[in-house]
Structures are given as C-alpha cells and as structure tokens.
Amino acid sequence: MEKTTLNVKGMSCGHCVKAVEGSVGKLEGVQSVKVDLESGKVTVDYNPDKVSVEQLKETIDDQGYDVE
C-alpha cells in the first residue's frame, strides 16, 4: 500500500467530503480516503498496482473539484 495526499480546491461542506470520499473510496485498490476540509487535503491509502494517482485526481475532478 502507498499513501498520497492531494491538495483539492472547492470543497466547503460535509456534502463535499461525502462526494469525494464516496467516489474515491469506490475505486478498486483504494483502502481508505480521508478528507480534511479545513486544509483542503485528501489523503488516500491505495494499491498502486490497481489504481494510479492520476485516476484518483480524475475521480475528484469528476466530482467538480480542482486537484493541484
């Protein structure tokens, strides 16, 4: 397992947290997702053999948030 932390802009409420955690958490290979609303950071534990950081970013982007 690997861990990555992404900076995400546009998250402002509990719904945002649920949208990101729910969509990223459904990806194959993702073990856990933690959104820190205050800092705008999303920390993901994942299996790099099953999912890439690029796929994580695309999934968050698809929810309407900007990933740096």
Side-chain angles (χ1 to χ4, degrees):
M1 284 291 161
E2 288 190 19
K3 180 181 281 198
T4 189
T5 301
L6 305 169
N7 291 315
V8 181
K9 289 190 173 182
M11 299 184 300
S12 60
C13 64
H15 172 75
C16 301
V17 172
K18 284 186 170 51
V20 172
E21 288 181 346
S23 61
V24 174
K26 288 180 186 170
L27 294 173
E28 184 179 353
V30 172
Q31 184 178 32
S32 69
V33 185
K34 173 121 176 54
V35 174
D36 184 334
L37 200 54
E38 270 187 41
S39 67
K41 295 192 184 300
V42 177
T43 303
V44 184
D45 289 313
Y46 67 101
N47 181 338
D49 294 332
K50 296 190 175 184
V51 66
S52 69
V53 171
E54 194 56 41
Q55 286 172 297
L56 299 174
K57 290 179 178 181
E58 285 176 15
T59 301
I60 294 169
D61 188 61
D62 287 347
Q63 293 298 312
Y65 307 106
D66 295 322
V67 183
E68 295 179 341

